[in-house]
Amino acid sequence: MLSGARGFTHKLFFFPRYPTLPLMSHSRVSAFSTAPNLKRVGTHNGSFHCDEALGCFMIRLTDKFRDAQIVRTRDQQLGFSLFGEVLESLDAVLDVGGVYDPSRDRYDHHQKGFGEVFGHGFTTKLSSAGLVYKTGLTLKHFGMEIIAKELRLDQGHPDVHRLFLMVYKSLMEAVDAIDNGINQYDTDQPPRYVNNTHLSSRVGKLNLDWVDPDQSSEKENEAFERAMNLTGSNVRFHVKSWLPARSIVVECLETRKDIDPSGEIIVLNRFCPWKLHLFELEEEMKIDPPIKYVLYQQLHISNLTDNLKHAVSNWESVAPCFGWSGRGVVVTLFVFNFIAVFRLLFGGRPQDERSKHWRVQAVAVSPDKFESRKPLPSQWRGLRDDELSTVAGIPGCVFVHMSGFIGGNQSYEGALAMAKDALKL
């Protein structure tokens, strides 16, 4: 898809398709995936969390446990189970059992004295997901094996190591911290708002509702599989989207002085997730002065049909993972999401004229801050259209946000003029 993403493949992860998963019907031990000669991976039954769902998803992508059967139980010894499915008999055990022993593929983190961390500068105590990602029989990392396979590169390739660390930094560490009850900030002050939209929270909401009359193990396992697929889709994002975007940002940084002699403005030749890449690459490439503004073009409404076709093609390969099927369902889901994103970003419908224009966005002081390094000028903020063009002395202006973090112009030349003038004001 992108010339800079060597080894990039569209079909990144294999999801076995079981239209109806046969489940064991007793209440204490349940399992799904009944294909013969598969290894068996255990985790606890009952309410599930993000870490074991993600851990089970990842371990089933390895050579050793490819498509392994998932057994959900808390029974550790045969004497405590009427059905014979016990933790001691399984090939791997995650998040239950009170044992961390990678030589036996035991990955629990609840036992007294456990303090394993990921390393590489990370100090957060690991959950079962972090243990699976960190520990393996080759190179001591299942995560390295998984990333290398999905990129179709050797484990020694720098892109594999780069993505291996980024997946932990931007996805796995938060799962580890939340499951271990580690606060995000070192402060006694209460949070200013509640965030119940992160991945761990979304996984938690997939547990059976207490008012649901059917609380069977079958329903519980179906919910757990949905949780596995949800967490796995977040890993897929980094392989499919995050890494290919890096090459785009690198190219833009290398040519930044062709845009403006200051070197403080870059233009994305294709919109992509650029923010995290920018901060890392500035340090890696020793860019000084740092970038102040990023220019990119918004989706033109005339391209909507082509984008829908592309989205349908992509989603049809993913939809079965979530139990969805049919082109109509895929199109409907995409359209609803498309409308929602435009309403969120622009406060209007996709037909909003601003969807045709160029954006000039101020770079934040850091990835986790809203404050900009150099906001667009205060005299422009909150203005739009002719009034903004008059004040700025630049034709074609569309708007500037009240905070000054973003503005728009009808043309590339206008957006570039806004960025250049903003540097001087």
Side-chain angles (χ1 to χ4, degrees), residues 101-155:
D101 183 356
S103 68
R104 296 193 295 124
D105 291 303
R106 264 46 184 174
Y107 304 112
D108 196 11
H109 65 109
H110 296 100
Q111 58 274 22
K112 184 178 181 180
F114 177 87
E116 196 76 13
V117 299
F118 186 70
H120 304 282
F122 297 96
T123 59
T124 300
K125 187 168 74 169
L126 299 178
S127 68
S128 61
L131 287 173
V132 169
Y133 195 67
K134 172 181 178 177
T135 309
L137 298 181
T138 60
L139 294 181
K140 302 300 181 185
H141 297 290
F142 277 139
M144 288 280 281
E145 176 189 344
I146 293 167
I147 298 299
K149 285 179 181 299
E150 303 314 322
L151 289 175
R152 297 188 178 181
L153 296 172
D154 294 332
Q155 291 193 26

Side-chain angles (χ1 to χ4, degrees), residues 253-279:
L253 288 171
E254 290 174 341
T255 60
R256 67 191 185 281
K257 290 193 176 180
D258 296 337
I259 304 300
D260 185 72
S262 70
E264 297 178 72
I265 302 170
I266 65 171
V267 178
L268 295 177
N269 53 39
R270 180 178 179 182
F271 184 78
C272 63
W274 55 268
K275 295 180 183 178
L276 286 177
H277 288 302
L278 178 62
F279 288 100

Side-chain angles (χ1 to χ4, degrees), residues 235-269:
V235 178
R236 296 186 70 184
F237 163 79
H238 288 83
V239 181
K240 177 181 177 182
S241 179
W242 183 87
L243 185 59
R246 181 182 174 89
S247 61
I248 296 177
V249 180
V250 168
E251 181 180 349
C252 295
L253 288 171
E254 290 174 341
T255 60
R256 67 191 185 281
K257 290 193 176 180
D258 296 337
I259 304 300
D260 185 72
S262 70
E264 297 178 72
I265 302 170
I266 65 171
V267 178
L268 295 177
N269 53 39

